[in-house]
Amino acid sequence: MAVAACAVLLLVGLCAVLGPPLLGDLAREQHLRAVKLRPFSTDEGWEFVLGSDSLGRSVLARLVVAAGTTLSVAVPAVLLSLVVGSVWGMWAGFHRGWRESVSMRIADVILSFPSLLLAVVVLYVFDPSVANLVAVLATARIPVYLRTARAESAELRGRLFADAARTFGTGNWAIVRRHVAPIVLPTLLTVAAVDFCFVMLTESSLSFLGIGIQPPDVSWGLMVAQGRAELQNAWWTAVFPGLAIILTTVAMTVLAGWARMAGDPAQRWRLTVPRKTRKGERP
């Protein structure tokens, strides 16, 4: 399952990187003689293998180009929130005191607003551009990494290796960088993999509501929004981008579960035991 998930994500990544320069023009071209072509037919050319929309645009080309737009929002938002939240959380959890209290109250204030509602309000006031989407989604997800990193580093602060490092005169930031961060990082990466699904679904929801990606750009959520009015006679214009969202999120969730098991010494043995013996307890 993990290998299949990696294959799906690799395909999506290749589409995101190679799609816009190769199929960008094809995704915008209108062929009024090929309006609402049904999928799985190559009579009008290979580019219409997944059908066309009401303007004669290739659904396949738009799917490939939309992958780049969707990932250009989800990946930077997750990376930005991961870096800021992790560093902030390890700093607060290792030093404790007022730093931890202030950081947790800020996280509570941000988490008190639903992420989707906060994004709707901010994007309604400001221009719904890609930069604003990344900024608001990253800000809304920082507390997730902040709370996780704070809890992990606060527990590691009292370990013997941290006390030994302080005894030899090692500074706090050096202890965090050399000893705490390598232990906390696998957990944070697993959280980031799961959070990637949430951010991508949020971007798709915002585009579906009309305050996310704006035409002439295209994203999977925007394709679903544009195709919902044609479900009766052109269902493929909304179903295929919806399937792309589902497959990508499921693949990332499966990969996150595998990574969590592989990174946990207490669970790693499950990956090496033959399938027939996994039904019982650990031998």
Side-chain angles (χ1 to χ4, degrees):
M1 294 296 292
V3 172
C6 287
V8 171
L9 295 176
L10 180 62
L11 178 61
V12 174
L14 289 176
C15 290
V17 174
L18 302 178
L22 295 179
L23 301 177
D25 295 335
L26 182 61
R28 291 187 293 267
E29 288 180 359
Q30 300 180 12
H31 301 80
L32 299 182
R33 294 184 179 180
V35 173
K36 295 184 181 180
L37 291 178
R38 300 191 67 83
F40 311 117
S41 175
T42 57
D43 295 338
E44 299 293 334
W46 64 267
E47 62 270 22
F48 296 107
V49 68
L50 294 183
S52 61
D53 59 8
S54 59
L55 297 177
R57 295 173 297 188
S58 170
V59 173
L60 174 61
R62 288 174 63 79
L63 270 178
V64 173
V65 174
T69 306
T70 300
L71 294 187
S72 69
V73 174
V75 173
V78 171
L79 290 179
L80 183 60
S81 57
L82 171 64
V83 172
V84 175
S86 301
V87 174
W88 189 358
M90 285 186 288
W91 171 78
F94 195 83
H95 289 86
R96 306 297 296 270
W98 65 268
R99 302 175 181 86
E100 183 181 25
S101 299
V102 173
S103 300
M104 288 301 98
R105 298 298 77 77
I106 295 175
D108 292 339
V109 170
I110 298 176
L111 289 176
S112 62
F113 297 94
S115 301
L116 184 59
L117 178 60
L118 180 63
V120 168
V121 173
V122 173
L123 294 176
Y124 182 79
V125 175
F126 297 98
D127 181 29
S129 61
V130 173
N132 289 338
L133 266 174
V134 172
V136 68
L137 292 177
T139 302
R141 305 311 296 170
I142 283 176
V144 175
Y145 304 96
L146 170 59
R147 293 166 69 94
T148 303
R150 196 278 312 173
E152 293 280 344
S153 59
E155 191 272 334
L156 294 173
R157 183 177 183 271
R159 295 285 187 90
L160 290 177
F161 64 83
D163 294 336
R166 281 191 292 267
T167 301
F168 285 100
T170 306
N172 289 333
W173 272 115
I175 297 175
V176 171
R177 185 177 67 255
R178 297 175 185 174
H179 304 290
V180 175
I183 299 176
V184 179
L185 188 60
T187 302
L188 294 174
L189 291 178
T190 304
V191 174
V194 177
D195 197 47
F196 172 83
C197 303
F198 178 84
V199 172
M200 194 177 70
L201 289 174
T202 303
E203 183 276 326
S204 300
S205 301
L206 293 172
S207 298
F208 182 82
L209 294 174
I211 55 176
I213 301 299
Q214 301 295 313
D217 294 331
V218 59
S219 70
W220 287 337
L222 183 60
M223 290 182 66
V224 174
Q226 293 175 343
R228 62 177 174 173
E230 302 174 357
L231 287 176
Q232 295 291 336
N233 50 15
W235 53 267
W236 52 89
T237 59
V239 170
F240 286 141
L243 288 177
I245 295 173
I246 294 173
L247 287 176
T248 305
T249 53
V250 170
M252 184 59 74
T253 303
V254 170
L255 188 61
W258 175 86
R260 182 70 185 94
M261 188 178 296
D264 187 358
Q267 301 291 329
R268 193 178 303 159
W269 63 272
R270 297 180 182 273
L271 300 177
T272 59
V273 176
R275 185 175 297 274
K276 294 182 178 179
T277 63
R278 290 183 188 178
K279 297 181 179 179
E281 296 294 331
R282 179 178 179 180

